[in-house]
Amino acid sequence: MASSVSAAAKASAAFAHKVRALLPLPTPNSHPVTDPAPLSQKELAAAAPAPTQHRAGSGRRTKPCRVRAVASPARAPRAPASTGSVKTAMTMTEKILARASERAALEPGENVWVDVDVLMTHDVCGPGTIGIFKKEFGEDAKVWDREKVVIIPDHYIFTSDERANRNVDILRDFCKEQSIKYFYDIKDLSDFRANPDYKGVCHVALAQEGHCRPGEVLLGTDSHTCNAGAFGQFATGIGNTDAGFVLGTGKALLKVPPTIRFVLDGEMPPYLLAKDLILQIIGEISVSGATYKSMEFVGSTVESLNMEERMTLCNMVIEAGGKNGVVPADETTFKYLEGKTSVDYEPVYSDAQASFFSDYRFDVSKLEPVVAKPHSPDNRALARECKDVKIDRVYIGSCTGGKTEDFLAAAKVFLASGKKVKVPTFLVPATQKVWMDIYSLPVPGSGGKTCSQIFEEAGCDTPASPSCGACLGGPRDTYARMNEPMVCVSTTNRNFPGRMGHKEGQIYLASPYTATASALTGYVTDPRDFLM
């Protein structure tokens, strides 16, 4: 046993040396481009509730041994604070990374080794991650913690493509070899319902299965892993090499990002959804406006959002270049987590005196429905300004726009209109649970009708098997993939050339409200035409 531990330690240390050699040195903070109005001390204090520990089960789990073979980079000494109860004021992200690196305090730009609470991978990046893990740690090496690795096939699932199917086989073999506890497998592709373990889109499944918890560090081999920041945790995407290292050590080397704060206040109009808010923000700051920054969302509007809408906000921070997005945990968060996790968690909040890179304020009550025109998420326009754009299809699905609340929103517009769609309308639930909700949950104000009944009456396509679907193109036989040049209004997250298939396809990113309204007219349509 001692010799195997020693070998693992040597391997992890050697690999860590390679990783450190490639890392850039921390750079000083730059000044914000804009000159936003600072928040008052009263507002700051209101945003920083006292931390509390939440016990999810009857007893606290015993923590497994952690690999300590990785050395932290050298850091300059810091003079201690002389007054005040908070010695070093920090943002939420700084606090989470400080706790995960066993540091009393951190500043933006510091490189630190953090203990990872959850590592997620899927069928696209999983095989590569596994290959790197075996190459660097050995064919017989074991993962650092089989209960902290979550493997979710979801991208290229319902296809006859042999390479895509092979990827899932690789995941299955690895999980069996490693006794991975959380592997959401699928074997029968003819009927997803015959696979009780299969979930669907990883980011939504992580939340539904209780793997997202306040105060923790969650890393995944997918850029939209930032979705989990809605739970008040640090969540970000990493590459296969980093993930292979995490598999063997449970640690990752991260640079602490500065935080941009977005204050969203005002009553949410009945024709807006979180997708409108994040498209508004990305259009404001551009696709590079938050490069390697943490994006923290606060304000009365954010507090009023349910968890799925908060996920939409955090999901797309990567489209602005963000390192991670985060929403302070509150009673909405705690209620969502009830019955989903047996792991204790402790939320953290930004200190009132914390230093932010910049602040942005939005009066949500004055905003209008927006879209992102081809071919960039920051190519923002008001939906009503695009009313002459003729479309060929509508796609409602993905980790961003395929959750239960997204389909309820679509059903609401169909119900209000009483009309049928004028273009093919594809519905792809994110997970099995969402699919079941579509067929079982009554839509408010419908007299007991479910989403599926309303969709059928409106002439939509039958809800498809849960997966990432055509959001990122995929093999040619992927359901709803754009195999010809078309104009599509989609609730997905990216609209680059070729993103949903054909390189000449044009994608207008929109909320479920706007997408549904557009399906009813055959043109990009402001949902207020049906909801007001």
Side-chain angles (χ1 to χ4, degrees):
M1 175 64 73
S3 61
S4 63
V5 172
S6 176
K10 289 179 180 178
S12 62
F15 191 40
H17 179 74
K18 296 179 187 178
V19 175
R20 286 199 299 275
L22 298 174
L23 287 169
L25 293 174
T27 56
N29 292 340
S30 57
H31 294 289
V33 176
T34 58
D35 185 22
L39 299 181
S40 67
Q41 288 299 312
K42 182 178 180 181
E43 289 174 306
L44 289 167
T52 55
Q53 184 179 28
H54 290 258
R55 294 189 174 274
S58 57
R60 190 175 186 85
R61 290 185 179 180
T62 302
K63 293 184 177 179
C65 293
R66 293 172 174 170
V67 176
R68 302 295 185 191
V70 181
S72 297
R75 53 183 179 269
R78 185 200 312 277
S82 57
T83 60
S85 58
V86 178
K87 292 184 178 180
T88 302
M90 292 185 287
T91 66
M92 284 181 64
T93 291
E94 292 160 10
K95 282 188 176 183
I96 294 170
L97 296 181
R99 186 161 67 187
S101 60
E102 300 182 355
R103 291 277 301 277
L106 290 176
E107 290 182 348
E110 291 190 72
N111 290 323
V112 292
W113 288 103
V114 302
D115 291 321
V116 178
D117 294 293
V118 174
L119 173 69
M120 182 279 298
T121 191
H122 49 52
D123 55 295
V124 173
C125 296
T129 296
I130 292 167
I132 291 169
F133 167 71
K134 287 181 174 291
K135 176 185 176 183
E136 299 294 343
F137 293 95
E139 286 292 326
D140 298 325
K142 295 296 182 181
V143 299
W144 101 98
D145 190 328
R146 73 178 191 88
E147 294 191 10
K148 292 187 175 182
V149 178
V150 182
I151 298 185
I152 309 178
D154 66 345
H155 277 60
Y156 304 148
I157 305 302
F158 303 101
T159 173
S160 60
D161 187 277
E162 293 182 359
R163 290 173 298 179
N165 296 334
R166 176 209 61 190
N167 279 3
V168 179
D169 292 339
I170 293 172
L171 298 184
R172 186 179 301 113
D173 292 343
F174 181 75
C175 289
K176 182 178 180 181
E177 167 195 311
Q178 297 283 336
S179 299
I180 299 298
K181 183 175 182 179
Y182 300 111
F183 172 46
Y184 299 112
D185 196 9
I186 181 167
K187 295 179 180 179
D188 185 351
L189 301 183
S190 64
D191 183 1
F192 70 89
R193 291 168 293 182
N195 304 269
D197 291 337
Y198 177 69
K199 301 304 174 186
V201 178
C202 58
H203 309 301
V204 181
L206 281 170
Q208 292 177 343
E209 299 304 313
H211 299 297
C212 301
R213 294 177 289 266
E216 293 192 352
V217 173
L218 186 155
L219 303 181
T221 58
D222 190 288
S223 60
H224 291 106
T225 301
C226 48
N227 185 89
F231 290 83
Q233 65 181 136
F234 179 86
T236 194
I238 58 174
N240 292 0
T241 302
D242 286 334
F245 184 74
V246 174
L247 272 180
T249 66
K251 289 181 176 290
L253 183 60
L254 296 173
K255 184 167 75 172
V256 181
T259 299
I260 301 177
R261 181 168 43 191
F262 296 86
V263 185
L264 283 67
D265 283 318
E267 184 177 354
M268 188 87 147
Y271 44 81
L272 290 185
L273 292 169
K275 183 67 169 289
D276 294 293
L277 305 185
I278 192 62
L279 289 179
Q280 179 74 30
I281 289 171
I282 296 170
E284 188 79 19
I285 67 175
S286 85
V287 291
S288 60
T291 300
Y292 212 93
K293 307 289 193 305
S294 174
M295 296 173 67
E296 182 173 327
F297 301 99
V298 298
S300 61
T301 306
V302 178
E303 293 167 4
S304 71
L305 298 177
N306 59 49
M307 286 309 300
E308 292 194 352
E309 286 284 82
R310 295 179 187 187
M311 288 185 223
T312 301
L313 272 185
C314 291
N315 179 279
M316 288 190 67
V317 302
I318 185 62
E319 316 313 336
K323 180 64 174 176
N324 70 300
V326 67
V327 174
D330 58 14
E331 288 305 317
T332 300
T333 318
F334 308 144
K335 185 175 180 180
Y336 181 94
L337 289 172
E338 288 178 4
K340 287 184 171 65
T341 181
S342 60
V343 179
D344 298 339
Y345 57 85
E346 186 177 349
V348 299
Y349 304 91
S350 293
D351 291 320
Q353 300 84 16
S355 176
F356 291 86
F357 184 81
S358 58
D359 289 316
Y360 287 86
R361 294 172 175 272
F362 294 89
D363 182 348
V364 173
S365 66
K366 296 180 180 179
L367 299 182
E368 298 184 60
V370 294
V371 297
K373 300 186 296 184
H375 294 283
S376 179
D378 64 357
N379 193 10
R380 182 188 63 193
L382 296 176
R384 60 181 173 82
E385 294 175 340
C386 302
K387 60 184 178 63
D388 295 327
V389 176
K390 192 176 187 304
I391 67 173
D392 300 303
R393 56 167 53 187
V394 165
Y395 185 96
I396 301 177
S398 82
C399 56
T400 315
K403 304 179 291 297
T404 297
E405 293 295 335
D406 298 314
F407 287 105
L408 286 171
K412 179 180 177 180
V413 178
F414 282 133
L415 195 65
S417 72
K419 299 179 179 179
K420 288 186 176 292
V421 298
K422 293 189 176 180
V423 294
T425 301
F426 303 98
L427 312 170
V428 185
T431 64
Q432 280 223 49
K433 183 183 183 308
V434 176
W435 188 92
M436 290 187 288
D437 287 345
I438 288 174
Y439 280 89
S440 62
L441 290 182
V443 176
S446 68
K449 291 182 180 179
T450 63
C451 287
S452 61
Q453 291 173 310
I454 293 172
F455 295 154
E456 182 178 4
E457 291 173 359
C460 299
D461 226 39
T462 302
S465 300
S467 75
C468 293
C471 174
L472 71 165
R476 284 190 65 85
D477 62 349
T478 299
Y479 174 77
R481 185 183 190 273
M482 292 171 61
N483 291 326
E484 302 293 337
M486 295 180 178
V487 179
C488 177
V489 174
S490 178
T491 65
T492 53
N493 42 53
R494 288 178 180 154
N495 58 351
F496 312 127
R499 171 66 181 184
M500 294 185 73
H502 201 282
K503 65 181 181 180
E504 295 179 14
Q506 297 185 53
I507 305 164
Y508 287 76
L509 302 179
S511 75
Y513 279 165
T514 301
T516 306
S518 302
L520 290 166
T521 63
Y523 292 83
V524 175
T525 301
D526 190 315
R528 287 177 290 187
D529 291 356
F530 299 102
L531 294 176
M532 296 293 286

